[in-house]
Amino acid sequence: MLIVVPDLLDAAGVAHIRALIDAAQWVDGNVTSGHQSALAKRNLQLPETAPEARQAGQMILDALGRSPLFIAAALPLKIFPPLFNSYAGGQAFGTHVDNAVRIQAGTGFRVRSDLSITVFLEEPESYEGGELTIETHFGVQQVKLPAGQAVLYPSSSLHRVEPVTQGRRVASFFWMQSMIRDDAARQMLFDLDSSIQQLALDRGHDDAQVIRLTGVYHNLLRRWADA
Ligand SMILES: O=C(O)CCC(=O)C(=O)O
Ligand SMILES: [Fe+2]
């Protein structure tokens, strides 16, 4: 599944996060890479332990927690603390798959990466290139979203960041473990949930069919979920 969360952060939220991270000390992005991706990666990142990254990351986690679309699509169990990257002057990240397991420096907090997310923090008109290119079962998708919007995609998919040839691309990127490990199962639950929400609007929340389908949704979740 590839899902866009269009209204994750408002303009004030983006500005606040940018003020925090723009003032911080950026380092070579290879600090978070596995061996294969280190070869392909040229960018800057904020260190995981930077206080600015922690604070801006918490703002992003709070925004995710307030997004019904994100919750329904991701069914998150554990979320890795958000990281921040910056690409300029031809920097890029070649085709790769994200590491399967992420371990947080210092705490040892472990997350299996089922879903990856990019939160765009720069307006697309202000830089050239920098598309997040994702190879899906239905072909190649290129994603370049307005600041404050996010895209969610399976961590198992091959993806890359195209070279940024003008301006600067700033984003937050991180991984999460879903209660539903299997992408197809998670997609079915999301489709079912979306249809139930629409039916409830059309027929009322106390409609007998809506109540029964809501039961089916929760009973499937009970069967399949890690919690
Ligand atoms: O910045 C992005 O959109 C994604 C970065 C990425 O793929 C990674 O750091 O693994
Ligand atoms: Fe990646």
Side-chain angles (χ1 to χ4, degrees), residues 190-202:
F190 181 53
D191 289 344
L192 179 57
D193 188 23
S194 305
S195 288
I196 292 170
Q197 299 305 325
Q198 189 56 53
L199 274 178
L201 286 179
D202 295 347

Side-chain angles (χ1 to χ4, degrees), residues 96 98 153 159:
H96 66 280
D98 292 335
Y153 58 100
H159 59 278

Side-chain angles (χ1 to χ4, degrees), residues 76-190:
L77 178 61
K78 297 196 244 177
I79 305 181
F80 199 82
L83 301 173
F84 296 87
N85 63 21
S86 158
Y87 293 82
Q91 287 176 323
F93 193 165
T95 305
H96 66 280
V97 163
D98 292 335
N99 283 359
V101 177
R102 290 280 165 176
I103 303 171
Q104 190 188 12
T107 67
F109 177 60
R110 295 163 73 89
V111 175
R112 185 188 66 227
S113 56
D114 296 325
L115 286 165
S116 303
I117 185 166
T118 295
V119 182
F120 289 81
L121 295 172
E122 183 63 71
E123 294 301 346
E125 304 78 35
S126 72
Y127 60 96
E128 287 293 327
E131 293 84 1
L132 173 61
T133 301
I134 305 167
E135 296 184 16
T136 76
H137 295 307
F138 305 106
V140 171
Q141 298 262 356
Q142 290 207 308
V143 185
K144 183 171 177 176
L145 297 171
Q149 300 200 11
V151 62
L152 204 56
Y153 58 100
S155 304
S156 55
S157 43
L158 285 166
H159 59 278
R160 62 182 171 272
V161 178
E162 302 293 343
V164 175
T165 53
Q166 267 184 43
R168 175 171 176 237
R169 174 195 197 266
V170 179
S172 177
F173 69 103
F174 48 103
W175 306 275
M176 64 203 72
Q177 182 168 337
S178 174
M179 290 192 283
I180 305 296
R181 179 182 200 147
D182 181 65
D183 198 53
R186 195 183 324 107
Q187 176 76 57
M188 280 193 285
L189 285 171
F190 181 53

Side-chain angles (χ1 to χ4, degrees), residues 21-22 24-28 44-47 84-86 168 170:
I21 64 174
D22 286 355
Q25 191 74 42
W26 295 74
V27 299
D28 186 320
L44 294 177
Q45 287 182 194
L46 283 191
F84 296 87
N85 63 21
S86 158
R168 175 171 176 237
V170 179

